[in-house]
C-alpha cells in the first residue's frame, strides 16, 4: 500500500512525536541541571566570601566568624592563634629596633600566607557545615520553609485576627502558593524530576479557587476553600520542607519497609492534586446547582406574572 503524496504513515508520525517528547524532556533535564549547578555555585561563592578577610590580612576575624556561625571550637582556637601572630607582628614592627622590624615583616608576611592557606584548607569543611546547618541541606540556596503555615500564622504578620477577613486570607494563601512554586523551581535537581510539574499542576488547580476566595469572581463554599487553603498553607510546604531537609543523596535504611523519600513526596503531591480536583468538581457542581435553582426561580416568577395578566 503506497502512501499518498503529501501524507505520512501513522507510525512515522508517532515516532516523530516520541522523538520530540524525548528531546523536550532531555532539554528540561539539562536546564534543571544547569540551573541547579549555577545556584549551587552562587551559594558557594557567597559562603566563601569570608576568605576575603584572610586575604586582607585579617584571618583571625574570618576564623572567628565561621567558628561562631558553625559553633566549632577548633576554628575559634585558630582565630585566637592568628590573632596572636598578628599581635606579635605589630609589636615587633613598633618596637623601634631594626632587627625587630625585620622580624615583624617576616612574621606578618608568614602570618598572612599561613592565614590564606589555612582559610583555603578550611573552606570546604565550612561549606559542608553550612549546608548541613541550612534548612535544606540538599538545596541550601533555597529560602527557609518554616513548615506548616496555618491561617493564623499567615495573618500574624498583618496584625489581623484569623477569620477577620476571609478574602485577605485567601489572597495571602495565593501569594504563598506562588512562593512555593518558585521554591520548587529553584530547587532544580534537588527535587525529583516529576515534582515541579505536579507543583505547577497544584497551582493551576488552586489558583482559580483562591482568586475566587479573594473576591475575584463568585464566592467559594467555606469548607471547600478551607481544604484549598490547607493544601497551600500546610500540606504543600510541609511536604517540600521535609524532603529538602534530607541531605543530598540520602538513602534510607533498606531494612525498614516503606517507599523511598522521593516516592513519598510524589505520592503526597499526587494526592494533593487529586484532592484539589475533587474540590474543583464540587465547586463547579455547586455553581451548576445554583444556576439551576436560579433558572427555576425565574421561570416560576415569569409564569406567575403571566397568570396575573
Amino acid at each position: 500500500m503506497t502512501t499518498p503524496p503529501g501524507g505520512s504513515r501513522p507510525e512515522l508520525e508517532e515516532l516523530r512525536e516520541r522523538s520530540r517528547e524525548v528531546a523536550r524532556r532531555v532539554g528540561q533535564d539539562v536546564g534543571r541541571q544547569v540551573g541547579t549547578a549555577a545556584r549551587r555555585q552562587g551559594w558557594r561563592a557567597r559562603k566563601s566570601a569570608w576568605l576575603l578577610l584572610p586575604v586582607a590580612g585579617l584571618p583571625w576575624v574570618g576564623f572567628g566568624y565561621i567558628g561562631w556561625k558553625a559553633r566549632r571550637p577548633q576554628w575559634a582556637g585558630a582565630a585566637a592563634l592568628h590573632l596572636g601572630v598578628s599581635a606579635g607582628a605589630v609589636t615587633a614592627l613598633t618596637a623601634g629596633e631594626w632587627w625587630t622590624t625585620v622580624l615583624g615583616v617576616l612574621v606578618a608576611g608568614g602570618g598572612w600566607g599561613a592565614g590564606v592557606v589555612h582559610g583555603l584548607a578550611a573552606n570546604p569543611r565550612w561549606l559542608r557545615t553550612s549546608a548541613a546547618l541550612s534548612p535544606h541541606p540538599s538545596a541550601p540556596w533555597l529560602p527557609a520553609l518554616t513548615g506548616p503555615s496555618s491561617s493564623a500564622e499567615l495573618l500574624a504578620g498583618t496584625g489581623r485576627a484569623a477569620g477577620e477577613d476571609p478574602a485577605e486570607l485567601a489572597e495571602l494563601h495565593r501569594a504563598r502558593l506562588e512562593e512555593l512554586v518558585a521554591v520548587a523551581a529553584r530547587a532544580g535537581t534537588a527535587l525529583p524530576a516529576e515534582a515541579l510539574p505536579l507543583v505547577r499542576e497544584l497551582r493551576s488547580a488552586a489558583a482559580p479557587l483562591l482568586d475566587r476566595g479573594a473576591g475575584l469572581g463568585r464566592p467559594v463554599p467555606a469548607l471547600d476553600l478551607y481544604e484549598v487553603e490547607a493544601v497551600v498553607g500546610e500540606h504543600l510546604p510541609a511536604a517540600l520542607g521535609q524532603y529538602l531537609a534530607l541531605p543530598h543523596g540520602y538513602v534510607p535504611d533498606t531494612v525498614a519497609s516503606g517507599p523511598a523519600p522521593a516516592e513519598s513526596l510524589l505520592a503526597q503531591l499526587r494526592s494533593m492534586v487529586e484532592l484539589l480536583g475533587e474540590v474543583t468538581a464540587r465547586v463547579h457542581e455547586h455553581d451548576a446547582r445554583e444556576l439551576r435553582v436560579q433558572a427555576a426561580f425565574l421561570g416560576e416568577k415569569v409564569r406567575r406574572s403571566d397568570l396575573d395578566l
Side-chain angles (χ1 to χ4, degrees), residues 17-83:
E17 182 62 29
R18 290 180 180 177
S19 300
R20 285 192 291 267
E21 178 66 18
V22 169
R24 185 183 65 82
R25 290 184 178 179
V26 170
Q28 288 180 345
D29 291 341
V30 171
R32 282 164 53 85
Q33 292 170 5
V34 171
T36 301
R39 294 185 183 98
R40 183 178 290 113
Q41 292 303 320
W43 175 83
R44 288 171 62 91
R46 291 192 300 272
K47 286 296 181 179
S48 300
W50 75 277
L51 290 173
L52 295 174
L53 292 169
V55 171
L58 299 172
W60 56 275
V61 177
F63 277 96
Y65 169 75
I66 64 173
W68 170 67
K69 294 292 286 185
R71 302 293 189 269
R72 186 172 172 80
Q74 293 89 332
W75 287 337
L81 177 62
H82 287 292
L83 177 60

Side-chain angles (χ1 to χ4, degrees), residues 105-132:
V105 170
L106 293 176
V107 172
W112 177 84
V116 172
V117 172
H118 193 185
L120 292 173
N123 194 53
R125 180 154 193 162
W126 160 244
L127 293 176
R128 291 193 298 269
T129 304
S130 297

